[in-house]
Amino acid sequence: MENRLNRIKELVEILNEAGKSYYSKGVEIMTNFEYDKLYDELVLLEKETGHVLSNSPTIHVGFEVLSELPKERHESPMLSLDKTKELEVLADWLGSQKGVLSWKLDGLTIVLTYENGNLSKAVTRGNGEVGEIITNNAKVFKNIPLTIPYTGKLIVRGEAIITYSDFEKINANIPEVDAKYKNPRNLCSGSVRQLNNKITAERNVKFFAFSLVTAAGEDFNNSKMQQFQWLTNLGFDVVEHKEVDQANLKETVLWFEEKVKTNDFPSDGLVIIYEDIAYGDSLGQTSKFPKNSLAYKWTDETADTVLREIEWSASRTGLINPIAIFDTVELEGTNVSRASVHNISIMESLQLGIGDTISVFKANMIIPQIAENKTKSGNCEIPKNCPVCGGLTRVEQQNGVKSLYCTNPDCQAKHIKSFAHFVSRDAMNIDGLSEATIEKFVQHGFLKDYVSLYHLEEYKEDIVELEGFGKRSFDKLMEAIEHSRHTTMPKVIFSLGISNIGLSVAKMIVQWIGSESERLLCATRDELEAIDGVGAVIADAFVSYFEDKDKKNVFLRLLDELDIEKEVVNDNPKILDGKIFVITGSLQHFNNRNDLKDLIESFGGKVASSVSKNTTYLINNNNTSQSTKNKTAAKLNVPVITEDEFLTLANVSM
């Protein structure tokens, strides 16, 4: 008994850490297959012993959200679904009833509220009880109706997703391997929860309704199918569904299993719900699961094979990713011989060794992964030298995840990836320089640093003789390079590939510090940390980069090659100079908080992320709210003002 109780404690700790990492940080420290296996083991042990810990993932719906988006409690809790992988269990659950079978989409659950025919609110699932308000973002989803021909109060739940094809297009525009998104779900989660809905709009997020919560005054004849049809008539895209009973359940499940192989959207199974709404509601719920519906997870097609090699792939930041190479097997109709292991933590948890017998599968029937290691020799060694340059490697641990890095600053992989980043669209935007071309130029000695890009004409005779090149290609490349000379300082800073500094952060730094090179090079860590959105890690990365004399020298020489746009001078009166604002809650006159922040800063004010004794005003349209920020403001005697009161203060009309 003691051993089983200790195992329960161990499983709870492992699963909670994995869940927190995945849902709150977007980092996988174990595969979905491994998580489900451990979860099922925990459920069985809890049933056998009757011992359930208060923090067990089997009784907790989800994890707390960590962003700065405003929060709101759902009118009714959003519970998880109980699940099975066995068709017989699904059939027993359905019994003599009719059911509605639909995709279990793998995205982010959203709750939409419509009033008087207009979309009034959109909230994420969050932890099941409290979600994040993302109304402005939902309004730019590709297929959400902003107005509907129904004036009563409507609450509908659905899944926000990004298709595989859109996911691949977005990743294709990210040159560095370690910056690419791991899967469509992570990309969707980040896209839906942006503070700037312009980014959301660019990501092609789509919404599929799967549950009608409230529709005042409407009669659906107690039919779930009629609810779906009614939502379709209102203009919603409804999750694909079919009515089932005992007679057609098996063949319908097989139809879905065959179709998922060609779907352009991620799905990790099916959901069945009773067609008879009243019957389903009468069954009630457990502390975690509703009893009117059940999730059917795919029984993953697995194949045993032999691990032959761990290939280590280096990136421009020095991250070296492990990739499993194994004897080719057929899965879901395609040949598979390699799978990403993601990081050292997963490699160690699987105890991988060369020659081991491993079981592989396709997650969501798409992405090859290792399900389990049957022999667990654990003889895979972590390379002490970089596979590209031979330099020493170092294992680093961040957020509980161990990863391998090359320590050689002159690693060729870093140069190639860094050049690829430097010429990418959001950086210097030099078309015609693929990684393959950059690699050739580096190998021939044409490229030594960023400045040498602007002197490639010196090697014209050699370049036009390269395979795949010619005079026309060279002329086009020279034209692109000349065009790139006219740029902005934020793009230059972003192009340098400084750790943790994306284009948006570079813009914030330039807006705060200015675009003069001398001023940027003299910026201190304290100055940078004072910028909202720039913490200690980013500040240290920026200052440390320019403390390197060689990098500083390249930056200054690079500026001599460029025509930097002058920053637009803001001539607004500095009537808010010295005042510090914090913004919370939903907005009425501004598309998002960044728009309001920009206006405040244009009048000389500053915007902080949290209320402190230095805060001048907290802007919240609901000044009677019991939110944390309002409570803190009350304790510190910080005035809470509405948007309208702020606009009066700034003497701005909207």
Side-chain angles (χ1 to χ4, degrees):
M1 182 68 170
E2 183 178 352
N3 288 339
R4 287 190 293 174
L5 293 181
N6 287 335
R7 179 58 174 164
I8 286 174
K9 293 177 183 178
E10 182 183 17
L11 288 171
V12 167
E13 183 177 352
I14 292 171
L15 291 169
N16 280 344
E17 182 62 30
K20 184 176 181 180
S21 178
Y22 182 76
Y23 288 106
S24 297
K25 302 171 186 174
V27 176
E28 292 185 47
I29 60 175
M30 66 171 61
T31 65
N32 289 339
F33 191 98
E34 188 178 7
Y35 182 93
D36 287 344
K37 183 179 178 181
L38 296 178
Y39 184 94
D40 291 343
E41 181 187 350
L42 176 61
V43 170
L44 182 61
L45 284 172
E46 288 178 342
K47 286 180 179 178
E48 290 177 350
T49 63
H51 187 80
V52 182
L53 295 176
S54 62
N55 62 335
S56 171
T58 66
I59 61 171
H60 282 263
V61 175
F63 292 91
E64 294 297 328
V65 288
L66 299 177
S67 81
E68 288 299 315
L69 290 166
K71 313 288 193 301
E72 179 171 286
R73 186 170 294 277
H74 295 297
E75 290 192 10
S76 57
M78 299 184 64
L79 303 178
S80 302
L81 295 181
D82 201 359
K83 67 180 188 297
T84 182
K85 288 189 175 183
E86 299 177 25
L87 188 55
E88 292 75 13
V89 174
L90 201 65
D92 289 344
W93 179 90
L94 183 60
S96 60
Q97 293 288 322
K98 289 184 177 181
V100 179
L101 196 63
S102 62
W103 298 114
K104 185 176 182 295
L105 299 176
D106 192 17
L108 195 70
T109 301
I110 307 292
V111 185
L112 303 180
T113 301
Y114 289 80
E115 296 176 286
N116 299 317
N118 297 306
L119 176 62
S120 60
K121 187 166 53 183
V123 184
T124 67
R125 179 181 184 276
N127 67 357
E129 295 184 357
V130 177
E132 298 166 308
I133 300 173
I134 50 108
T135 310
N136 284 333
N137 292 349
K139 289 179 178 179
V140 298
F141 287 2
K142 292 303 176 185
N143 62 338
I144 278 186
L146 299 183
T147 61
I148 56 175
Y150 170 73
T151 56
K153 184 175 182 179
L154 170 68
I155 301 178
V156 61
R157 292 173 180 170
E159 198 83 354
I161 65 167
I162 289 178
T163 63
Y164 285 118
S165 54
D166 284 330
F167 169 74
E168 289 167 1
K169 288 177 186 175
I170 292 168
N171 260 354
N173 289 322
I174 302 174
E176 57 270 30
V177 174
D178 48 309
K180 292 180 185 290
Y181 294 95
K182 302 300 182 189
N183 53 57
R185 187 197 182 281
N186 282 3
L187 174 59
C188 183
S189 177
S191 301
V192 167
R193 299 164 67 228
Q194 288 288 329
L195 296 178
N196 180 355
N197 67 354
K198 181 177 183 294
I199 298 174
T200 307
E202 294 170 348
R203 300 282 176 80
N204 286 338
V205 180
K206 296 180 176 67
F207 175 87
F208 290 89
F210 61 65
S211 176
L212 194 159
V213 180
T214 298
E218 291 296 316
D219 182 6
F220 302 104
N221 297 315
N222 197 37
S223 167
K224 182 63 65 174
M225 290 291 287
Q226 286 194 26
Q227 281 190 345
F228 277 151
Q229 186 58 53
W230 186 75
L231 287 172
T232 300
N233 294 341
L234 288 183
F236 289 96
D237 283 338
V238 175
V239 64
E240 188 174 20
H241 56 281
K242 291 181 177 292
E243 187 174 308
V244 294
D245 55 22
Q246 285 292 344
N248 70 348
L249 176 63
K250 182 176 180 179
E251 67 181 67
T252 306
V253 169
L254 292 175
W255 180 88
F256 275 105
E257 286 187 350
E258 190 62 30
K259 189 173 183 186
V260 74
K261 299 174 185 177
T262 57
N263 280 349
D264 191 31
F265 55 84
S267 167
D268 55 357
L270 302 172
V271 173
I272 190 169
I273 188 168
Y274 291 116
E275 154 69 358
D276 186 327
I277 297 173
Y279 173 77
D281 290 346
S282 71
L283 300 176
Q285 61 191 47
T286 68
S287 61
K288 186 176 181 182
F289 306 121
K291 294 183 178 180
N292 68 343
S293 50
L294 182 69
Y296 175 75
K297 301 290 290 263
W298 304 125
T299 302
D300 300 301
E301 180 184 344
T302 61
D304 288 351
T305 183
V306 177
L307 180 66
R308 297 300 181 186
E309 180 187 354
I310 291 292
E311 180 182 286
W312 296 88
S313 175
S315 69
R316 75 172 180 88
T317 60
L319 179 66
I320 305 175
N321 292 308
I323 298 170
I325 311 296
F326 43 81
D327 291 343
T328 301
V329 292
E330 184 176 319
L331 289 173
E332 314 294 349
T334 61
N335 290 330
V336 179
S337 61
R338 55 196 290 129
S340 173
V341 189
H342 299 302
N343 52 57
I344 291 176
S345 292
I346 290 180
M347 189 181 81
E348 290 181 342
S349 70
L350 290 168
Q351 299 179 46
L352 293 179
I354 305 304
D356 279 351
T357 298
I358 59 175
S359 179
V360 295
F361 74 108
K362 282 187 175 181
N364 294 349
M365 298 189 178
I366 299 290
I367 304 168
Q369 289 191 8
I370 298 175
E372 62 179 321
N373 182 3
K374 296 189 173 181
T375 46
K376 297 183 177 180
S377 69
N379 66 29
C380 280
E381 294 184 0
I382 299 170
K384 296 180 180 178
N385 300 97
C386 172
V388 175
C389 70
L392 294 176
T393 61
R394 178 179 65 246
V395 175
E396 295 183 9
Q397 186 161 337
Q398 296 179 6
N399 297 321
V401 177
K402 289 197 286 187
S403 300
L404 186 66
Y405 288 87
C406 173
T407 61
N408 177 16
D410 297 318
C411 176
Q412 187 183 24
K414 293 182 182 180
H415 282 308
I416 294 168
K417 298 293 184 180
S418 295
F419 276 120
H421 173 73
F422 183 85
V423 303
S424 63
R425 185 178 58 184
D426 288 338
M428 299 307 293
N429 193 21
I430 302 177
D431 193 26
L433 273 176
S434 65
E435 281 195 24
T437 300
I438 290 170
E439 187 171 3
K440 287 181 183 178
F441 286 5
V442 169
Q443 289 173 345
H444 284 79
F446 305 154
L447 292 180
K448 300 176 180 64
D449 56 32
Y450 300 140
V451 180
S452 61
L453 269 166
Y454 293 93
H455 295 276
L456 284 175
E457 71 277 1
E458 298 173 7
Y459 303 99
K460 178 179 178 179
E461 292 183 6
D462 296 313
I463 291 175
V464 296
E465 295 298 324
L466 291 177
E467 183 180 352
F469 244 82
K471 185 178 183 304
R472 187 175 178 184
S473 297
F474 180 82
D475 290 342
K476 280 188 173 181
L477 177 58
M478 290 302 103
E479 184 180 340
I481 289 173
E482 285 303 309
H483 187 265
S484 75
R485 290 182 187 271
H486 183 75
T487 186
T488 65
M489 185 59 79
K491 287 190 174 184
V492 175
I493 292 173
F494 172 62
S495 73
L496 299 176
I498 305 172
S499 179
N500 295 308
I501 296 183
L503 184 57
S504 60
V505 172
K507 287 178 179 177
M508 287 190 289
I509 291 173
V510 171
Q511 287 171 358
W512 188 274
I513 302 295
S515 60
E516 295 298 323
S517 58
E518 295 84 358
R519 186 73 187 85
L520 288 165
L521 293 173
C522 292
T524 66
R525 289 172 174 80
D526 288 341
E527 279 183 289
L528 293 167
E529 282 189 55
I531 304 172
D532 184 38
V534 177
V537 173
I538 293 175
D540 183 65
F542 185 89
V543 174
S544 296
Y545 184 90
F546 291 112
E547 285 177 342
D548 184 308
K549 291 182 180 179
D550 291 335
K551 291 176 180 176
K552 179 180 176 180
N553 181 49
V554 169
F555 174 67
L556 291 173
R557 288 169 48 228
L558 177 62
L559 294 183
D560 290 336
E561 302 289 341
L562 305 175
D563 172 26
I564 306 294
E565 287 181 14
K566 297 294 182 185
E567 294 296 309
V568 177
V569 178
N570 169 32
D571 57 2
N572 286 344
K574 304 303 179 186
I575 58 177
L576 300 180
D577 188 33
K579 293 182 172 58
I580 299 175
F581 296 82
V582 174
I583 308 167
T584 192
S586 57
L587 300 174
Q588 298 171 352
H589 300 297
F590 297 86
N591 290 328
N592 52 57
R593 294 184 190 178
N594 280 340
D595 285 354
L596 176 51
K597 178 177 176 238
D598 289 345
L599 180 64
I600 291 171
E601 291 176 347
S602 73
F603 285 101
K606 295 180 182 179
V607 178
S609 58
S610 58
V611 178
S612 70
K613 63 180 181 180
N614 297 319
T615 305
T616 311
Y617 294 104
L618 170 64
I619 300 175
N620 187 351
N621 285 321
N622 183 3
N623 51 21
T624 62
S625 164
Q626 292 302 301
S627 68
T628 301
K629 285 187 173 71
N630 275 38
K631 289 179 179 178
T632 304
K635 288 180 182 177
L636 299 174
N637 295 317
V638 173
V640 181
I641 61 174
T642 64
E643 261 179 287
D644 289 326
E645 289 171 325
F646 164 75
L647 293 172
T648 300
L649 176 71
N651 195 25
V652 174
S653 58
M654 297 293 287

